[in-house]
Amino acid sequence: MAGMTPLLSRRARKNPADSTVTLIGKPGCHLCDAAEEVIAEVCGELGARWEKKDITQDEELHRRYWEQIPVVLVDGAQHDFWRVDPARLRKALGG
C-alpha cells in the first residue's frame, strides 16, 4: 500500500490569518466603498489581513485594472471585480 495515491485526498484547510486581501479602487467610487464594507466584515470575522490600494496613485495598477475597479486580490491573485460576494470571499480565505 505504500506509495499509493488516495482516491480522495484532503488538503489541509487554509488558515485565513495567513492570507492578505487587497482592494484596488479609487476615492469617490461607490462600488469601491461597498467592496470595502464586505472585505472589512469578512476579514474581521475570519482574522485575515486586508489592505487598500488607490489606483490613482499607482500607474501600473491603473494600467492593469482601470476598467474593472474595484478589484479584489487574495494573496496577490485576482479574486473578484466590480462586486464582492461575501460567501465566495469566505471560501477563498478558507472560512
Side-chain angles (χ1 to χ4, degrees), residues 40-58:
E41 179 182 326
V42 171
C43 288
E45 174 186 306
L46 298 177
R49 295 179 304 274
W50 72 279
E51 63 185 358
K52 189 162 69 166
K53 293 189 177 183
D54 183 348
I55 201 167
T56 66
Q57 302 298 310
D58 186 312

Side-chain angles (χ1 to χ4, degrees), residues 21 35 70 77:
V21 176

Side-chain angles (χ1 to χ4, degrees), residues 10 13-14 25 27 36-37 40 45-46 48-49 57 59-61 67-68 80 83-84 86 93-94:
R10 292 184 184 213
R13 229 186 146 107
K14 189 174 176 181
E36 184 174 351
E37 287 179 23
E45 174 186 306
L46 298 177
R49 295 179 304 274
Q57 302 298 310
E59 199 171 301
E60 176 62 18
L61 291 177
E67 293 181 4
Q68 296 178 333
D80 250 332
R83 304 226 186 259
V84 183
L93 292 171

Side-chain angles (χ1 to χ4, degrees), residues 14-79:
K14 189 174 176 181
N15 182 352
D18 294 336
S19 293
T20 301
V21 176
T22 304
L23 170 61
I24 300 170
K26 70 174 188 157
C29 167
H30 71 282
L31 290 176
C32 300
D33 294 341
E36 184 174 351
E37 287 179 23
V38 171
I39 292 167
E41 179 182 326
V42 171
C43 288
E45 174 186 306
L46 298 177
R49 295 179 304 274
W50 72 279
E51 63 185 358
K52 189 162 69 166
K53 293 189 177 183
D54 183 348
I55 201 167
T56 66
Q57 302 298 310
D58 186 312
E59 199 171 301
E60 176 62 18
L61 291 177
H62 187 277
R63 185 187 65 72
R64 280 183 84 178
Y65 299 117
W66 178 250
E67 293 181 4
Q68 296 178 333
I69 63 168
V71 174
V72 178
L73 309 178
V74 174
D75 296 328
Q78 188 168 344
H79 170 74

